[in-house]
Amino acid sequence: MSERSFRQTPHTSHDGSNSSRLSILLFIFIFIVLCLLARLVYLQVIKGPEFSQAAADSRTLSVNISPHRGTIYDRNGNVLATSVDAMTIYANPKEIEDVSSAAEAVASALGGDADEYAELLKQDTTFVYLKRKADMDAAEALKSEGIMGIYYIEDTKRVYPYGKVAGQVLGFVNVDDEGVSGLELYYDDILKGTPGKLVVQQGGGGIPIPGGTEVDEPAVDGQDIVVSIDIDMQSYLEKRLAEGVSTIEGEDGRAVLMDASTGELLAIASTPYFDPSNPSDSEVGSDSLKTVTQAYEPGSTFKTASMMAMLEAGVVTPDTTIFAPAELSADEYVITDAHERGDMTMTARYVIQDSSNIGTSLLVENYLGFRPLYDKIVSYGLNGQTGIDYPGEAAGYLSPDVDAWPLITKYNVTFGQGISTTPLQMARFYGALVNNGVACTPHFLISKPQTGETLQYDTEQIVENTAAIDPMISMLETVVEEGTGTGAAIDGYRVAGKTGTAEYVDEDTGVYAKSSYNLSFVGVLPDASTPLVCFVGVNEVPCERNTTEVFKDIMTEAISRYRVVQSD
């Protein structure tokens, strides 16, 4: 048997390598699946709400619903500011077929320039305002045209029935019904309410879906307020003040009538006047009530504060005498009185009656001192804010470093120069003289009808020695009976007050103006059934004139209106 040789080739198995490849493929597959699941979770769970909102936003339009702003009433229930129905009109330019024709129709109904409306209607958008807060009649006229692509939203509009009367007090609101000035601004949180939200469903091209409009959040109306202003008294005060400014050829005027026993402001104004219904047509700055917001050098009306400080300290009486030379040197300056006179001895009463600068300065220097005077000025509230509920109240100013005052400043302060205050601060101080030395916080807001809340305000005993009030009032009555304020006398009534002739700094030169003055008179009715105080001031008046006649007329009107009687 032949023997054959065989070569054996080893057999290799493929089971291991195939298994590895399958594992890798399986891993890759699972990884891809997990990535897809993660992406799905990310898109649906994490980003889903965002995408859903974006989709909703693309088919909806959200528009604010204006709340009904609270009404402002005067003390007698007259409506001073209120909101009436109006219509906000908008368009979807993509729906407008004939831009020129639509623009002409809009201009015809709403007023304005057709070309400007055309520019709006040509915009590449689905929403443009054509007119916010349009009058209802105008809106209905446009609506009757049936122009496709123009839409209407119910709205409100602020109106002021008395126009310019009390316009500065009330202020005005912007197109979003937000207070901009005056009480509209100060009490904006109470008046404005909370806007609501209207959602409009849109189809392709931004076209609203019929029946797809719904209120998402209802508007919450604002609260009403009642203020101290008497609109009829306010109207008279404004008219008489404007006449007075014109008659004595002044630049502008300020006046205030206040009940000294409560601090309620019955009427207050400054010229020029402001129309809240047409802010853009009013003079720049006229929306500010300068009686409150602008300080000035009070001049001789301030002598009452100096004299009151001395009477309180018990260092002078109305009969105290002082030698008053015709001229008084102070540093490199010379002080004189407004009326030319020779050297003379004066009583304190005559100093106030004839409004002597020199007499006032020397009385303070010899009997009181300038540091005690400064302390009384502070306690009388004549260099600080009154706390009135009106935006932008000015604070008076007087440097507290009395020891550093030069002699001319010490003298000047005694008669109302070199110190700033406001007409309202002066009225508050004089009012305290007929309210047993108690100064009330001047204010407008009386109550909130919807809540029944009646407001209370701070009072302050600014005259500590009340026994000094009667001699001060007596001296101020002499001013009206025999002195510089005779034009303020009212038949059958006691009138106590003080004239003021103050220099002012010329803005162009930076020094005191020559032959032109800020004039004022502030007076009270002692022992009257209603303790009224009235300030009248006219600025930049040529030559020496006075405002006593304006005061007399305003106070006489108030006496008649409020049936004020004089106590025996």
Side-chain angles (χ1 to χ4, degrees):
M1 182 175 183
S2 60
E3 192 173 322
R4 297 184 180 178
S5 297
F6 295 93
R7 192 171 186 186
Q8 181 122 8
T9 302
H11 175 71
T12 302
S13 172
H14 295 279
D15 293 344
S17 58
N18 289 338
S19 176
S20 296
R21 284 193 292 271
L22 288 172
S23 296
I24 292 171
L25 291 172
L26 181 61
F27 177 79
I28 292 172
F29 175 76
I30 293 173
F31 177 75
I32 292 172
V33 170
L34 290 174
C35 287
L36 291 174
L37 288 173
R39 179 65 175 170
L40 188 60
V41 170
Y42 173 76
L43 293 175
Q44 291 191 342
V45 177
I46 298 176
K47 298 292 287 185
E50 180 181 336
F51 292 151
S52 177
Q53 185 62 48
D57 290 343
S58 68
R59 64 175 185 272
T60 62
L61 174 67
S62 181
V63 181
N64 284 341
I65 304 174
S66 296
H68 192 284
R69 191 172 175 87
T71 297
I72 302 176
Y73 297 94
D74 86 337
R75 63 187 306 108
N76 299 312
N78 296 303
V79 174
L80 305 183
T82 192
S83 295
V84 298
D85 291 340
M87 196 75 77
T88 284
I89 304 168
Y90 72 94
N92 177 359
K94 294 185 182 299
E95 290 184 81
I96 303 298
E97 296 177 352
D98 187 338
V99 169
S100 178
S101 175
E104 290 289 348
V106 173
S108 176
L110 305 182
D113 192 322
D115 290 339
E116 293 180 3
Y117 288 119
E119 289 300 317
L120 292 174
L121 297 175
K122 291 176 184 176
Q123 291 185 22
D124 186 18
T125 182
T126 60
F127 181 92
V128 291
Y129 280 118
L130 295 179
K131 179 78 171 181
R132 297 187 65 181
K133 303 181 183 300
D135 290 338
M136 292 298 291
D137 289 344
E140 290 299 331
L142 180 60
K143 198 172 187 179
S144 67
E145 296 290 333
I147 302 172
M148 182 177 295
I150 295 181
Y151 300 94
Y152 305 83
I153 302 172
E154 292 182 359
D155 205 342
T156 62
K157 178 181 180 179
R158 202 65 166 167
V159 296
Y160 302 89
Y162 291 91
K164 288 185 177 182
V165 180
Q168 295 158 333
V169 174
L170 298 171
F172 70 108
V173 299
N174 61 21
V175 73
D176 294 315
D177 280 334
E178 298 167 333
V180 175
S181 70
L183 297 182
E184 293 278 30
L185 172 60
Y186 195 91
Y187 287 114
D188 191 50
D189 287 346
I190 296 173
L191 294 165
K192 68 182 179 182
T194 304
K197 185 183 293 184
L198 183 71
V199 176
V200 180
Q201 301 289 332
Q202 299 180 126
I207 299 173
I209 299 172
T213 300
E214 61 182 22
V215 175
D216 186 50
E217 297 175 12
V220 179
D221 292 342
Q223 292 187 52
D224 301 339
I225 60 174
V226 176
V227 299
S228 59
I229 290 296
D230 176 344
I231 197 62
D232 293 326
M233 187 70 232
Q234 177 78 22
S235 179
Y236 181 84
L237 179 143
E238 289 186 14
K239 178 176 179 290
R240 188 64 186 89
L241 177 61
E243 289 173 351
V245 172
S246 176
T247 300
I248 64 176
E249 301 180 273
E251 183 66 25
D252 59 43
R254 299 156 200 198
V256 55
L257 178 69
M258 183 175 77
D259 184 335
S261 65
T262 63
E264 292 179 5
L265 293 161
L266 303 171
I268 184 170
S270 63
T271 65
Y273 301 133
F274 173 75
D275 187 352
S277 299
N278 296 289
S280 61
D281 292 336
S282 300
E283 291 187 38
V284 175
S286 63
D287 60 320
S288 177
L289 185 60
K290 293 188 287 290
T291 316
V292 175
T293 63
Q294 195 171 95
Y296 77 117
E297 293 192 19
S300 296
T301 56
F302 198 81
K303 290 170 182 170
T304 301
S306 295
M307 188 61 69
M308 192 69 214
M310 291 185 282
L311 291 170
E312 269 206 85
V315 296
V316 302
T317 71
D319 297 324
T320 299
T321 59
I322 191 75
F323 175 72
E327 296 183 346
L328 180 63
S329 296
D331 303 323
E332 70 271 29
Y333 302 94
V334 175
I335 297 172
T336 61
D337 285 347
H339 310 291
E340 187 175 340
R341 61 170 179 79
D343 299 345
M344 64 182 295
T345 297
M346 302 177 176
T347 63
R349 182 183 296 275
Y350 187 82
V351 166
I352 292 296
Q353 173 187 326
D354 200 52
S355 198
S356 172
N357 298 334
I358 293 172
T360 305
S361 296
L362 292 177
L363 281 170
V364 171
E365 182 178 38
N366 287 279
Y367 290 99
L368 181 66
F370 299 104
R371 169 58 68 178
L373 174 62
Y374 171 83
D375 292 340
K376 275 300 178 181
I377 291 170
V378 173
S379 68
Y380 292 155
L382 292 172
N383 72 332
Q385 295 175 318
T386 67
I388 184 176
D389 51 343
Y390 189 88
E393 181 184 12
Y397 179 76
L398 178 61
S399 170
D401 191 2
V402 179
D403 295 335
W405 292 359
L407 183 59
I408 185 62
T409 297
K410 292 176 179 177
Y411 285 160
N412 280 348
V413 166
T414 67
F415 53 84
Q417 296 287 159
I419 180 173
S420 65
T421 185
T422 68
L424 186 64
Q425 289 160 5
M426 293 301 296
R428 175 181 179 269
F429 167 67
Y430 274 77
L433 301 181
V434 285
N435 195 40
N436 200 35
V438 175
C440 298
T441 301
H443 62 272
F444 291 106
L445 183 60
I446 296 177
S447 65
K448 303 175 187 177
Q450 281 122 324
T451 63
E453 181 181 358
T454 301
L455 281 296
Q456 302 295 322
Y457 295 88
D458 292 339
T459 60
E460 183 181 3
Q461 185 76 44
I462 64 171
V463 178
E464 297 174 2
N465 179 9
T466 55
I469 294 176
D470 282 347
M472 186 73 255
I473 290 292
S474 174
M475 295 166 78
L476 293 176
E477 286 184 277
T478 304
V479 171
V480 177
E481 292 167 357
E482 305 174 34
T484 59
T486 54
I490 300 173
D491 290 342
Y493 289 85
R494 294 172 59 194
V495 178
K498 184 72 187 73
T499 53
T501 303
E503 294 181 300
Y504 66 92
V505 175
D506 188 308
E507 294 181 357
D508 294 330
T509 64
V511 298
Y512 284 114
K514 302 296 183 182
S515 302
S516 184
Y517 305 93
N518 290 344
L519 305 182
S520 60
F521 183 87
V522 56
V524 294
L525 301 178
D527 297 326
S529 56
T530 302
L532 298 175
V533 55
C534 179
F535 172 99
V536 177
V538 179
N539 294 332
E540 301 183 29
V541 180
C543 304
E544 292 185 25
R545 300 171 187 180
N546 62 67
T547 63
T548 53
E549 292 290 341
V550 181
F551 164 89
K552 175 184 178 179
D553 290 346
I554 292 173
M555 191 64 90
T556 299
E557 176 69 17
I559 287 171
S560 173
R561 183 165 182 79
Y562 305 120
R563 301 179 181 177
V564 178
V565 296
Q566 183 75 65
S567 301
D568 295 332

